[in-house]
Amino acid sequence: MIKINSLEKVYRTEEVETVALNKLSMEVKQGEFVAIMGPSGCGKSTLLNILGLLDDPDGGSFLFNGLEVAGYNERKRADLRKKNIGFVFQSFNLIDELTVFENVELPLLYLGVKSADRKKRVEEVLERVQIMHRRNHFPQQLSGGQQQRVAVARAVVNTPKLILADEPTGNLDSTNGNDVMQLLTDLNEAGTTVIMVTHSEHDARYSHRIIRLLDGQVVMENIMTNG
């Protein structure tokens, strides 16, 4: 699904040049659950932004489902992104003024899905993440764990091929964190590819494979025996 070769990303200001990705190469197959780990500043977030087609690399090759996307402009990246990728963030990123139902419905509005189909798909996914009973509540009326369930529902409502999760349990207690990790595992077992950035060795154990970064490069890979 994803094949990256010699990927480079450099951030420059007048005073300093920071190499975020240094000829990084990696591959993720359809249906894998991969955890990306490493110390702060090792390039994890930069890599996730490029994988999510939110940013473009300065050099190297990035194949997404066989397409070379490294040189795509923003419009082409956005089109590919909204049809193929769901995002789960540490900070939930829900819209406070919208209800649970409306937050989850949003990606389908962007895709132009008809009203009756939107209602059916949103209700199905809210049932799946066990938050249907809160459909008319606003984010501030929910616990952190419930908000992350809504965020996961929003990420998967358009049945993406890939979920990118950035520290998905970072703001949760251990019980809610385990629930969210189980949700991601269930989605992966149903066929969705998951790539997760995490500092948590505990969360990483849910994955099939851990890729460890240092200074913008892959320095180690571990295959998980439970995967």
Side-chain angles (χ1 to χ4, degrees), residues 42-170:
C42 71
K44 298 189 303 292
S45 296
T46 300
L47 177 60
L48 207 68
N49 283 340
I50 290 174
L51 291 175
L53 303 168
L54 296 168
D55 201 356
D56 57 337
D58 294 324
S61 168
F62 174 17
L63 292 176
F64 185 89
N65 277 341
L67 295 171
E68 177 57 76
V69 298
Y72 271 24
N73 62 27
E74 172 52 31
R75 179 179 289 185
K76 288 179 82 172
R77 287 204 310 269
D79 191 48
L80 197 62
R81 184 170 63 234
K82 67 185 181 185
K83 291 175 181 170
N84 291 283
I85 302 173
F87 294 89
V88 180
F89 301 98
Q90 177 177 344
S91 54
F92 318 136
N93 284 15
L94 300 175
I95 297 171
D96 288 341
E97 295 77 23
L98 299 182
T99 64
V100 163
F101 185 96
E102 290 165 340
N103 264 285
V104 176
E105 183 185 34
L106 209 53
L108 301 178
L109 284 168
Y110 289 138
L111 287 171
V113 177
K114 290 176 182 165
S115 176
D117 289 342
R118 289 201 309 270
K119 182 174 186 293
K120 179 171 179 285
R121 283 163 68 172
V122 172
E123 288 177 351
E124 281 174 357
V125 78
L126 289 177
E127 290 281 8
R128 193 171 173 187
V129 302
Q130 300 176 345
I131 203 77
M132 184 67 169
H133 60 296
R134 298 285 195 178
R135 58 173 291 169
N136 294 319
H137 288 67
F138 291 92
Q140 308 96 305
Q141 298 172 300
L142 306 178
S143 69
Q146 289 171 330
Q147 288 188 58
Q148 194 60 298
R149 283 174 180 272
V150 176
V152 171
R154 181 185 58 192
V156 301
V157 72
N158 64 339
T159 56
K161 295 181 178 69
L162 172 66
I163 290 177
L164 297 177
D166 189 1
E167 301 282 0
T169 67

